Amino acid sequence: MATLPNHFFDHQKKNVKHRHAIVPDTVIQKIAKSTSKKKLYIKTYGCQMNVYDTQRMSDALAPEGYETIDSPDGADMVILNTCHIREKAAEKIYSELGRMRKMIDKKNRKLEDADKTRPIIAVAGCVAQAEGKEIMRRAPLVDMVFGPQSYLNLPKMLGKLASGQKKVLDTDFPTEDKFDNLPTATKSTTIARGVSAFLTIQEGCDKFCTFCVVPYTRGAEYSRSIARILNEAQNLIDAGVREITLLGQNVNAYHGQDDAGNSVTLGGLMSALDGIKGLDRIRYTTSHPNDMDQELIDIHKTQKSAMPYLHLPVQSGSNKILEAMNRKHTRESYFEVIDRIKLARPDIALSGDFIIGFPGETDDDFDATIDLIERVTYSQAYSFKYSPRPGTSAATMSNPVDDAISTKRLAQLQELLNNQQRQFNRNTIGRTLDILFERKGREPGQLIGRSPYLQPVYVNAPEEFLGKIMPIYIESLGNFALSGKLVD
């Protein structure tokens, strides 16, 4: 993890009568004194939705004079945009804040008082939503804590600090639509983020899987209107974006309204997006098997912009474990959905999520998961050992799996998944694929792009091909990345 650089300094407590002294060491002075551009650094943890949220935080702070930088060096404000999915997520944030504290104290001992100042420190995201008051208690360094539904209030929060309020906590679920209250990024800012962009269309989840905190940190399912999404997508395309990934905790449960007040599914939304000239590729994540309706499946067959790649988490291949997880589907119903998808789009690349060592998992349950993976075959997947999340019902289950057993099972499962991924990539050697070039490679004259199956591809090509989709002959496979050459 990144730590703050040496010029981040301590926030000394001063009386009001000292506020106009020579030493500019308070957050209030930090906000008030700057008439030039201020620097913002955001460290992002977790999923694509957090990446999107980070970008929108930056957009919200741009009118306040903040410009985003790529490192904490020289930042006037630092935000840790947190994720509650991974193991010991909260403790990792406290460790990061502890490293900040040490760096601040170390620098303070070396500099004259007249040079002392420090950035505003904020914790955002799902850990902030779940543990806001505890963060304030345990980490006095932190000035602001706010959840993923509250970052539209960032200018107001800064105003409270500027007016003398020492700490700001905002973890409410606002009644207004946060997306409608955020400024639009400039074209230059948008294209600087890349020719592939994220667009959140749905938030929250009503599934209540027993291992998951999302319903408590992101709230109930909410879908944005068709008009709002089309407008944001058009702004992205106007700026030069070529590919959009639609985001949601349960994205294929999307049910936004059109101008007539009718409910529209994800399939209907993708059809509407397909009408935007210049939007060449559409992806979406993350989906639930129970919401994979036939309309959406058929989109992959009939709509060219719908990429042949689908992330469809199953978590376990055991019906007993699926029931304990409250997944509301079975291995048989998952197979049935996969069969319909492959019938509509035989070349589709599948991705999945797997949790190993869930409470009560036996050898037979694990074998059922291995069997499911062998039958489905995945182009890539994400797999983790189970770890309890405070506040979830699974955290209270009394039959944990020994950690050594979980570790062994995870290694076996990941070996199988890695072999499947390598085989999928090998199968593309000798084919010509359309590659969207996204950025420069490490070597001179090298560009990196993505295939329709989301594979990274390295090609020697002129820089003017950035942002273009070109036919590439796939020549070889490296460590999960492909290399190819331009087709004449």
Side-chain angles (χ1 to χ4, degrees):
M1 292 184 182
T3 56
L4 290 180
N6 290 343
H7 68 276
F8 281 175
F9 310 105
D10 199 6
H11 176 205
Q12 302 291 331
K13 294 182 179 179
K14 299 290 180 180
N15 294 328
V16 175
K17 66 180 181 180
H18 293 147
R19 189 168 295 169
H20 300 290
I22 295 175
V23 183
D25 61 354
T26 67
V27 170
I28 295 172
Q29 291 167 330
K30 186 73 174 182
I31 298 171
K33 74 173 185 177
S34 178
T35 57
S36 60
K37 281 286 186 179
K38 292 164 282 189
K39 296 179 180 179
L40 169 68
Y41 172 70
I42 308 180
K43 182 176 176 64
T44 308
Y45 302 78
C47 67
Q48 297 99 323
M49 289 192 73
N50 266 19
V51 174
Y52 176 85
D53 286 346
T54 286
Q55 293 173 349
R56 301 316 305 271
M57 289 180 205
S58 178
D59 298 339
L61 289 170
E64 307 301 311
Y66 284 90
E67 58 182 7
T68 304
I69 57 177
D70 294 331
S71 87
D73 189 18
D76 297 289
M77 183 175 183
V78 174
I79 302 175
L80 303 181
N81 189 12
T82 63
C83 174
H84 216 314
I85 298 300
R86 298 297 180 88
E87 184 178 6
K88 299 180 181 178
E91 294 305 317
K92 291 177 181 178
I93 300 305
Y94 292 125
S95 295
E96 180 77 4
L97 292 169
R99 284 189 286 271
M100 291 184 188
R101 175 81 276 167
K102 290 179 180 179
M103 294 298 295
I104 290 170
D105 290 342
K106 182 178 179 181
K107 190 61 179 179
N108 279 344
R109 291 194 295 268
K110 296 181 178 180
L111 293 180
E112 297 294 331
D113 282 352
D115 291 328
K116 286 185 179 180
T117 185
R118 78 159 181 90
I120 301 164
I121 306 296
V123 178
C126 290
V127 174
Q129 183 71 40
E131 306 185 30
K133 292 181 179 179
E134 181 67 5
I135 292 171
M136 286 293 196
R137 186 188 70 81
R138 287 185 56 178
L141 179 72
V142 175
D143 303 297
M144 301 194 312
V145 176
F146 53 94
Q149 307 304 324
S150 306
Y151 60 75
L152 75 160
N153 297 324
L154 268 168
K156 295 179 182 178
M157 296 182 214
L158 289 176
K160 290 179 180 180
L161 291 179
S163 66
Q165 186 170 323
K166 292 182 178 179
K167 303 287 183 181
V168 176
L169 173 66
D170 190 346
T171 53
D172 293 331
F173 286 90
T175 55
E176 67 268 33
D177 185 342
K178 71 177 182 183
F179 301 102
D180 293 346
N181 289 275
L182 290 168
T184 301
T186 63
K187 288 185 177 181
S188 60
T189 297
T190 298
I191 197 59
R193 293 168 178 167
V195 295
S196 298
F198 294 131
L199 199 170
T200 293
I201 65 168
Q202 180 269 344
E203 278 196 300
C205 185
D206 297 340
K207 296 292 191 290
F208 287 93
C209 297
T210 58
F211 55 82
C212 186
V213 297
V214 166
Y216 312 105
T217 59
R218 293 274 183 172
E221 287 181 3
Y222 164 77
S223 297
R224 300 176 67 188
S225 71
I226 289 278
R228 298 290 186 183
I229 294 169
L230 291 177
N231 182 65
E232 186 171 342
Q234 185 66 64
N235 289 336
L236 291 170
I237 300 307
D238 290 344
V241 168
R242 303 290 301 277
E243 174 182 287
I244 291 177
T245 299
L246 308 176
L247 301 180
Q249 269 84 27
N250 193 17
V251 70
N252 59 341
Y254 175 82
H255 52 275
Q257 289 189 339
D258 63 14
D259 291 340
N262 300 313
S263 182
V264 179
T265 64
L266 178 58
L269 173 61
M270 291 184 66
S271 294
L273 287 167
D274 192 53
I276 297 179
K277 185 178 180 180
L279 176 51
D280 298 301
R281 292 181 167 186
I282 304 173
R283 305 182 189 273
Y284 57 92
T285 192
T286 292
S287 299
H288 192 282
N290 287 358
D291 295 308
M292 203 71 203
D293 61 36
Q294 193 60 45
E295 179 189 20
L296 180 57
I297 291 173
D298 289 341
I299 286 290
H300 285 278
K301 180 179 181 179
T302 60
Q303 187 168 309
K304 183 180 179 181
S305 62
M307 291 295 94
Y309 175 89
L310 175 63
H311 184 63
L312 192 62
V314 62
Q315 307 299 357
S316 174
S318 162
N319 282 338
K320 185 191 80 176
I321 297 300
L322 289 172
E323 183 177 2
M325 290 177 168
N326 194 36
R327 286 288 294 170
K328 298 183 176 70
H329 65 81
T330 63
R331 62 183 277 124
E332 290 79 16
S333 65
Y334 185 79
F335 284 140
E336 191 270 335
V337 170
I338 294 297
D339 288 343
R340 287 193 287 123
I341 293 168
K342 289 184 175 181
L343 181 64
R345 188 68 191 258
D347 69 328
I348 200 161
L350 295 169
S351 173
D353 289 347
F354 297 92
I355 296 175
I356 301 305
F358 190 81
E361 183 187 74
T362 64
D363 287 342
D364 287 343
D365 296 323
F366 175 69
D367 289 342
T369 299
I370 293 295
D371 175 72
L372 181 143
I373 293 171
E374 290 175 339
R375 290 176 59 177
V376 173
T377 67
Y378 292 90
S379 66
Q380 63 174 303
Y382 306 92
S383 53
F384 316 93
K385 286 193 298 184
Y386 169 76
S387 60
R389 296 291 176 269
T392 61
S393 57
T396 64
M397 293 182 179
S398 58
N399 48 351
V401 177
D402 182 85
D403 186 66
I405 294 175
S406 295
T407 300
K408 181 179 178 181
R409 289 174 181 171
L410 182 63
Q412 179 183 341
L413 177 135
Q414 289 181 337
E415 181 181 11
L416 173 60
L417 290 170
N418 288 340
N419 288 338
Q420 288 188 351
Q421 181 175 358
R422 282 191 290 269
Q423 186 57 52
F424 180 86
N425 287 336
R426 286 192 196 101
N427 291 342
T428 60
I429 296 174
R431 294 179 59 188
T432 297
L433 302 177
D434 288 334
I435 306 302
L436 172 59
F437 288 114
E438 298 178 334
R439 65 186 189 277
K440 297 179 184 178
R442 293 182 179 179
E443 304 297 329
Q446 185 184 70
L447 300 183
I448 302 174
R450 295 275 179 177
S451 78
Y453 307 109
L454 209 61
Q455 301 153 299
V457 181
Y458 294 81
V459 182
N460 288 325
E463 189 174 326
E464 57 263 29
F465 283 5
L466 283 171
K468 295 183 179 180
I469 298 174
M470 305 293 293
I472 299 298
Y473 178 80
I474 305 302
E475 294 182 300
S476 62
L477 168 65
N479 296 329
F480 300 108
L482 301 166
S483 62
K485 65 179 181 179
L486 292 167
V487 175
D488 291 337

